[in-house]
Amino acid sequence: LGLLGLTDDRRVVSAGLRLGVQLIVSGLLVELVPGFRFPLFGLPDLVAAAASILWLVALTNAFNFLDNMNGLSAGVGAIAIAALASMALASAHLPGAVLGLLVVGGAGGFLLYNFPRASIFMGDAGGLFLGFSSGGLALLVCDRLGEVSWGDDVFVTVLPLLCLSVPIYDLISVVSLRLRRRLP
């Protein structure tokens, strides 16, 4: 996805190709790597896999859409991922916590140079990376909380998804406005 975003920053890549690559990469992650799947209680694995792939693609595009002014995407991402890393640490999921803290550090370093009179910009390469990382980390933490939560407390399991409600809200509002105005 980083190479896709970098290519799209250099020249125009069609929306269909971008969506196809995102679906393939998300599908490979969900199918091949344990832990990157929603723990949907009592539902078939196919439904959990499809929901996880849809989540990853939605978050990947949400952060790319959110990158419309200096500091917004990286700032929202750093806050949300810091919350996810805290949940990973609290649930003793050390790899998730380390991944989250590394991304937060990168976003924080990026923010120093991205405010007015900005000397660097995120572009599609950064937006796709940040969105995919945050979506994947949320899946990891959901899976972990599903393992360690007491009983079948669905709220505790889906709590990490709420950390990413701002980019999801922005994605829904942007897509709704574009559809209503009949814009691509």
Side-chain angles (χ1 to χ4, degrees), residues 87 141-142 145-146 148-150 152-160:
M87 288 181 205
V141 175
C142 281
L145 290 176
V148 299
S149 69
W150 48 100
D152 286 336
D153 193 353
V154 175
F155 177 73
V156 171
T157 304
V158 298
L159 185 61

Side-chain angles (χ1 to χ4, degrees), residues 28-39:
L28 288 171
L29 180 70
V30 168
E31 285 303 312
L32 300 177
V33 183
F36 287 97
R37 187 176 290 194
F38 282 127

Side-chain angles (χ1 to χ4, degrees), residues 116-155:
R117 299 298 300 173
S119 58
I120 59 173
F121 299 97
M122 185 173 288
D124 285 353
L128 294 178
F129 170 77
L130 196 57
F132 191 76
S133 298
S134 65
L137 182 58
L139 288 177
L140 277 177
V141 175
C142 281
D143 183 64
R144 178 64 178 173
L145 290 176
E147 292 173 359
V148 299
S149 69
W150 48 100
D152 286 336
D153 193 353
V154 175
F155 177 73

